[in-house]
Amino acid sequence: MDMKKRIHLELRNRTPSDVRELVLDNCRSNEGKIEGLTSEFVNLEFLSLINVGLISVSNLPKLGKLKKLELSDNRISGGLDVLAEKLPNLTHLNLSGNKLKDISTLEPLKKLDNLKSLDLFNCEVTNLNDYRESVFKLLPQLTYLDGYDMDDHEASDSDGEVDGDGVDEEDDDDEEGEEEEDEDGEDGEEDFDEEDDDDDDDDEVEGEEDEEDEEDFGQDGELDDEDDEEDDDDEEEEEGRKGEKRKREAEDEDDDEEDDD
């Protein structure tokens, strides 16, 4: 698909002034030049033209708000002065995989006062002696070259993003909200578990009390049985005494009758 058609599709019934990000990767450029992109994209902040066969950026329109430009995997060998003229607020520039051979081809970038990050991976210029020192000296406004600063500290993720998106911040807020909900849910589960543990402890105490009552009841029953046995023994002894008394009385009566005779 050629670049003009691709831009038309990316608009999706929007006007150019509504577009803040435009990705045209892997489409076909016309004779190695940009086409279909106009200065009507006044609010464009991010433009990606990766692997579109560019040889020159001479047709690039003036884009006063553009901050990040992706031009990797093309055949650009020079003519970077156009970037300084048309993109005054550019902060991130990726020229990886192009045909840049000499440090001198980068000199026009000195005019990009806001340029913070420059990527030149897989360009022949990176094979030069003292390549990094030379580039940082040529472009003192740079913070990161090929993802690292002068002290070889890697660039943070936030340094690689275009400011003002708002999308990342909303995603972070959503993630924080989900984390808070997860934490609240965990706290609720812990409280619930503690309540269950308390209920279990109460049940155990009640069970022990019931067992003690049953033991007391059993002991009382045994005591009652012993009392009943003692009462039975007392009755038997009393009946025995009464029987002996009656026997003695009968013998006395017999003695009296013999005396009368």
Side-chain angles (χ1 to χ4, degrees):
M1 182 183 296
D2 64 41
M3 194 173 293
K4 279 186 178 181
K5 289 182 179 180
R6 179 68 176 272
I7 291 174
H8 179 72
L9 287 176
E10 292 293 334
L11 283 174
R12 299 170 189 167
N13 298 321
R14 295 175 295 173
T15 62
S17 60
D18 294 330
V19 180
R20 297 177 65 185
E21 296 186 7
L22 187 60
V23 178
L24 305 174
D25 300 347
N26 303 312
C27 66
R28 294 193 307 271
S29 60
N30 182 25
E31 296 181 353
K33 295 182 180 180
I34 297 171
E35 62 175 350
L37 189 65
T38 68
S39 57
E40 293 178 342
F41 289 85
V42 292
N43 293 312
L44 193 64
E45 296 181 4
F46 174 80
L47 174 61
S48 185
L49 292 165
I50 297 173
N51 190 33
V52 296
L54 286 181
I55 297 174
S56 170
V57 291
S58 59
N59 286 358
L60 189 69
K62 185 174 181 62
L63 301 170
K65 291 188 177 182
L66 194 73
K67 295 180 179 180
K68 188 171 183 177
L69 178 61
E70 294 278 350
L71 292 172
S72 59
D73 298 327
N74 286 291
R75 293 177 288 164
I76 300 168
S77 58
L80 300 183
D81 53 309
V82 176
L83 302 181
E85 293 173 9
K86 303 293 181 68
L87 311 175
N89 291 307
L90 194 67
T91 60
H92 294 72
L93 175 61
N94 191 342
L95 288 166
S96 301
N98 279 280
K99 305 296 183 181
L100 303 172
K101 299 180 180 180
D102 302 316
I103 295 292
S104 59
T105 59
L106 304 176
E107 284 193 16
L109 303 180
K110 292 169 65 176
K111 297 178 183 179
L112 290 170
D113 295 333
N114 299 311
L115 190 64
K116 291 173 53 181
S117 177
L118 175 63
D119 288 319
L120 297 169
F121 288 114
N122 297 325
C123 292
E124 289 186 38
V125 68
T126 62
N127 296 324
L128 298 176
N129 292 332
D130 301 326
Y131 151 71
R132 289 182 60 81
E133 291 80 358
S134 299
V135 174
F136 276 118
K137 185 177 180 180
L138 178 67
L139 306 172
Q141 76 272 35
L142 271 189
T143 302
Y144 300 104
L145 175 61
D146 300 332
Y148 290 85
D149 65 13
M150 290 184 66
D151 298 322
D152 288 332
H153 294 145
E154 190 173 4
S156 62
D157 292 338
S158 60
D159 290 323
E161 298 297 329
V162 177
D163 296 334
D165 287 343
V167 177
D168 293 337
E169 293 179 359
E170 291 178 2
D171 291 341
D172 291 340
D173 292 339
D174 293 340
E175 290 177 0
E176 289 177 1
E178 291 176 359
E179 289 177 359
E180 290 177 358
E181 290 178 1
D182 291 340
E183 290 176 358
D184 293 340
E186 290 175 359
D187 293 340
E189 290 177 359
E190 289 177 359
D191 294 339
F192 183 74
D193 291 340
E194 289 177 0
E195 291 177 359
D196 287 343
D197 291 339
D198 293 339
D199 292 339
D200 292 339
D201 292 340
D202 292 339
D203 293 339
E204 289 178 1
V205 172
E206 291 178 358
E208 291 175 358
E209 291 177 353
D210 291 339
E211 290 178 359
E212 291 176 358
D213 292 340
E214 290 177 358
E215 289 178 359
D216 293 340
F217 177 77
Q219 292 175 356
D220 292 340
E222 292 175 359
L223 293 173
D224 292 339
D225 292 339
E226 292 177 358
D227 292 340
D228 292 338
E229 290 176 358
E230 290 178 358
D231 291 340
D232 293 338
D233 292 340
D234 293 339
E235 290 177 358
E236 290 177 357
E237 290 178 359
E238 187 175 351
E239 290 178 357
R241 286 196 296 269
K242 289 179 179 179
E244 290 177 356
K245 184 177 181 181
R246 284 195 296 270
K247 185 177 180 182
R248 286 197 299 270
E249 289 177 351
E251 290 177 352
D252 291 340
E253 289 177 358
D254 292 338
D255 292 338
D256 291 338
E257 288 177 359
E258 288 178 357
D259 291 340
D260 292 338
D261 291 340

